[in-house]
Amino acid sequence: MKYKFYAYIQQLQDTITAKLEEVDGKATFQEDIWKRPEGGGGRTRVIENGAVFEKGGVNISGVHGELPDSMKAYFKVKEGNFFACGLSLVLHPKNPMVPTVHANWRYFELYNEQGEIVDQWFGGGQDLTPYYLFDEDAKHFHEVCKTACDKHQPTFYDTYKKRCDEYFWNTHRNEARGIGGLFFDYCKAREDMDMQNWYDFVTEVGDSFLNSYIPIVIKRKDLEYSQHQRDWQEIRRGRYVEFNLVHDKGTLFGLRTNGRIESILMSLPPHVQWRYDHQPEKNSEEERLITILKQPKEWI
């Protein structure tokens, strides 16, 4: 399974980066191949200063070795070798009318001292972070997510949409990071879903990503915007940074397992503002966004 899924994310990385370069029309992805001293490595691809994408990364990695003590405590195991692989992407568009997007799909194996698999699971998801909210874009994103889920289990969309709303929650701000999507983790074999079924589901979601996001980018990338709207985008990006550095499990896992720091932090946008006690104007589009982020919405 690990070889099969790693081959899949290699192909998916190629597909996604090729499409993003086509949509941007100016910038191309810089590629870094890196190795992890304790075992494994990855392929990082970053795009910067494009016509559409100010910064973005589409990374894959496959790492293995002894679990650090902090992760043994997290997984409640006394010993453990592990293998983890996944694709992680974040795209920060230049135009504030185009939302930021994040997605990742990953697979994990845990071994005993004899090298036998004692646990394995899939995880992942995708979520949208708009700065100016177009309801039709939010509905489109969620409809694509639901279509992918419905091909596998009728309960998946509602379950994983709710988990996404709960997970991407900036507790210290009492607001969501964005308007959600899907979040699933610890997807293990059970009576109605074996590991092949989970593989089929996760790859279905991965394959649907471009359809969920690219139509929104094309529709919004050439809209005019003001300096005020650009400032708002950078202020909201600050909340994005706060979530990734304070709450995100993937960031913490990478830091605790001696991951490649440039790859771990590629999700951070290049231009961000933190203004003291900034409040949007009453009855503005900015205030409308904040109101919805305070109370996650059913989009479809």
Side-chain angles (χ1 to χ4, degrees), residues 3-19 43 45 58 60 87 199 203 206-207 210:
Y3 299 118
K4 183 177 181 179
F5 190 67
Y6 194 71
Y8 167 74
I9 60 175
Q10 287 178 296
Q11 167 265 313
L12 184 61
Q13 185 190 38
D14 289 342
T15 301
I16 290 174
T17 54
K19 184 62 179 180
R43 188 168 69 187
R45 290 181 182 169
V58 183
I60 59 171
L87 183 153
Y199 172 90
T203 55
D207 290 342
L210 287 173

Side-chain angles (χ1 to χ4, degrees), residues 1 3 9 29 52 70 83 99 102 112 137 195 200 204 227:
M1 182 58 77
Y3 299 118
I9 60 175
F29 280 87
V52 176
S70 61
F83 171 85
H102 157 263
N112 62 18
D137 296 350
M195 293 310 292
D200 294 341
E204 181 95 51
Q227 183 59 48

Side-chain angles (χ1 to χ4, degrees), residues 73-110:
Y74 181 79
F75 289 126
K76 297 181 174 62
V77 294
K78 293 181 179 177
E79 87 224 7
N81 279 292
F82 78 98
F83 171 85
C85 71
L87 183 153
S88 180
L89 69 84
V90 177
L91 299 167
H92 292 290
K94 187 176 178 181
N95 191 320
M97 302 301 159
V98 186
T100 284
V101 73
H102 157 263
N104 74 79
W105 306 282
R106 57 190 179 275
Y107 175 69
F108 195 95
E109 288 183 356
L110 198 59

Side-chain angles (χ1 to χ4, degrees), residues 251-281:
T251 303
L252 297 175
F253 179 81
L255 295 173
R256 288 173 178 172
T257 55
N258 195 29
R260 182 173 183 263
I261 195 68
E262 288 299 323
S263 300
I264 296 167
L265 299 182
M266 68 87 189
S267 64
L268 304 183
H271 301 287
V272 189
Q273 294 186 37
W274 279 277
R275 293 189 185 178
Y276 180 76
D277 196 26
H278 181 270
Q279 303 294 333
E281 291 181 19

Side-chain angles (χ1 to χ4, degrees), residues 192-256:
D192 61 334
M193 292 284 288
D194 61 21
M195 293 310 292
Q196 180 61 47
N197 295 145
W198 283 120
Y199 172 90
D200 294 341
F201 165 65
V202 174
T203 55
E204 181 95 51
V205 174
D207 290 342
S208 75
F209 169 74
L210 287 173
N211 187 36
S212 72
Y213 185 58
I214 294 301
I216 297 172
V217 176
I218 291 171
K219 190 183 292 186
R220 308 297 173 197
K221 66 184 177 69
D222 296 320
L223 295 180
E224 292 185 2
Y225 61 90
S226 65
Q227 183 59 48
H228 168 79
Q229 290 167 328
R230 173 69 181 181
D231 288 341
W232 173 249
Q233 177 195 44
E234 293 182 357
I235 290 166
R236 293 306 306 172
R237 281 176 173 179
R239 303 295 173 92
Y240 199 92
V241 171
E242 289 174 23
F243 179 87
N244 282 24
L245 296 183
V246 176
H247 301 297
D248 188 66
K249 291 179 183 176
T251 303
L252 297 175
F253 179 81
L255 295 173
R256 288 173 178 172

